[in-house]
């Protein structure tokens, strides 16, 4: 098959990682695969997904030159570029991901002989996007959602026919997890100025309002003062970084709040942390929680899309889920899991079993392969 995979950008992220995994998988199976980004290429130092494509000999093209920004004004140019790329490649399958990637692909895919699949990673908060996505879905064979929660939103709110909606969750390669742990330093926290073998509560994600990191840093004293031996480490970059650093400097526990920037091997850091914190306001199926569960790291997250599906519909380990937006509940759960060894061990065992049984990467890639080959 000739398979075209379309994404907004190829910066580090859950959707971007999933699309890259798909590209490498199908290329290794002998298919002709190309990846197209409708935005600029990733910057140096954050181009690990691009390097992975190169290692698997998957051609990559992007519409916007380095250093420029994608905008709605440039969208007609993007569609024209993608249409020309498709005319040259003649794909038999087009798989897009994210809102703008879905829209551009729908406008660029003209042939009725092309199997066109979309990808929805999060419920769209803006109502006008619901109408656009409903129109785009008419041109697709299936619209693939990352979680059952997102699929339900597409059916209920965007009024996409249920027959067109399919859930294929994220997956994780456990061998790569083991390799990431094996190649990690014994004590990674020293490089960030923490004391040797520090006890760490970890946030990993984009420093963006969606992730709830502003509130987490603002209330860091409530979290850290009862946990006198622990440090809060914030991994990631984004538009809130300077503001977060300024707020952290005003806290009583300021010397125990650390900003590590973006890191290429978050798995290694998770392996040396005691708890992952994700106070996101909305998600689709948080990839960072998938990674934490695979490592054997308990977490606390708000009850947002995809989290309960990762844990399973069982009463076990709901201690890891806090009431959405309730930071007092979030912090209380984080303190409880940190302080109670037996609870932490129960969460670790449950999380690992869920990943091994339901969320291994090959299981999810096989679902895409079966869909494309129908």
């Amino acid at each position: 098959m000739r398979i075209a995979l379309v994404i907004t950008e190829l910066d580090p992220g859950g959707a971007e990682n999933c699309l890259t995994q798909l590209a490498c998988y199908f290329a290794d199976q002998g298919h002709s695969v190309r990846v197209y980004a409708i935005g600029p290429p990733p910057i140096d130092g954050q181009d690990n997904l691009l390097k992975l494509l190169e290692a698997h000999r998957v051609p990559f093209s992007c519409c916007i030159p380095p250093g420029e920004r994608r905008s709605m004004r440039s969208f007609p140019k993007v569609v024209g570029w993608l249409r020309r790329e498709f005319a040259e490649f003649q794909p038999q399958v087009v798989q897009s991901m994210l809102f703008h990637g879905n829209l551009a692909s729908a406008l660029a895919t003209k042939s009725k002989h092309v199997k066109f699949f979309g990808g929805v990673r999060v419920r769209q908060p803006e109502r006008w996007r619901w109408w656009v996505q409903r129109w785009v879905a008419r041109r697709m064979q299936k619209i693939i959602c990352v979680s059952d929660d997102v699929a339900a939103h597409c059916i209920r709110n965007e009024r996409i026919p249920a027959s067109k909606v399919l859930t294929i969750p994220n997956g994780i390669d456990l061998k790569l997890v083991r390799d990431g742990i094996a190649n990690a330093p014994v004590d990674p926290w020293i490089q960030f100025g923490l004391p040797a073998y520090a006890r760490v509560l970890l946030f990993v994600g984009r420093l963006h309002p969606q992730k709830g990191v502003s509130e987490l840093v603002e209330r860091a004293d409530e979290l850290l003062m009862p946990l006198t031996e622990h440090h809060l480490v914030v991994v990631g970059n984004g538009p809130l970084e300077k503001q977060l650093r300024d707020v952290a400097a005003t806290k009583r526990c300021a010397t125990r709040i650390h900003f590590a920037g973006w890191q290429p091997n978050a798995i290694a850091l998770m392996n040396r942390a005691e708890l992952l914190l994700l106070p996101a306001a909305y998600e689709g199926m948080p990839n960072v929680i998938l990674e934490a569960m695979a490592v054997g790291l308990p977490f606390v997250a708000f009850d947002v899309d995809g989290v309960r599906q990762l844990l399973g519909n069982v009463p076990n380990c709901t201690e890891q889920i806090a009431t959405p937006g309730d930071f007092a509940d979030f912090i209380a759960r984080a303190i409880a899991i940190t302080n109670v060894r037996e609870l932490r061990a129960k969460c670790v065992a449950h999380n690992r079993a869920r990943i091994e049984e339901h969320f291994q990467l090959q299981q999810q890639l096989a679902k895409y392969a079966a869909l494309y080959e129908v």
Side-chain angles (χ1 to χ4, degrees), residues 121-124 146-153 156 278 280-286 289 302-310 324:
R121 312 294 296 185
V122 67
R123 66 172 75 193
Q124 297 293 339
V146 73
S147 69
D148 291 338
D149 291 328
V150 173
H153 165 80
R156 181 179 61 251
L278 183 66
Y282 61 93
E283 291 280 351
M285 175 175 280
I289 290 183
F302 285 133
D303 192 0
V304 294
D305 289 350
V307 174
R308 285 186 180 269
Q309 187 173 347
L310 283 169

Side-chain angles (χ1 to χ4, degrees), residues 229-250:
E229 297 180 0
H230 288 75
H231 295 250
L232 172 63
V233 175
V234 177
V235 173
N237 57 17
L240 296 179
E241 183 169 355
K242 183 181 184 305
Q243 173 189 326
L244 293 172
R245 289 179 179 273
D246 291 343
V247 170
T250 68

Side-chain angles (χ1 to χ4, degrees), residues 20 24 47-60:
T20 301
C24 296
D47 55 355
N48 55 317
L49 296 179
L50 180 55
K51 290 178 179 177
L52 187 58
L53 291 177
E54 292 172 349
H56 288 260
R57 300 182 179 179
V58 177
F60 169 76

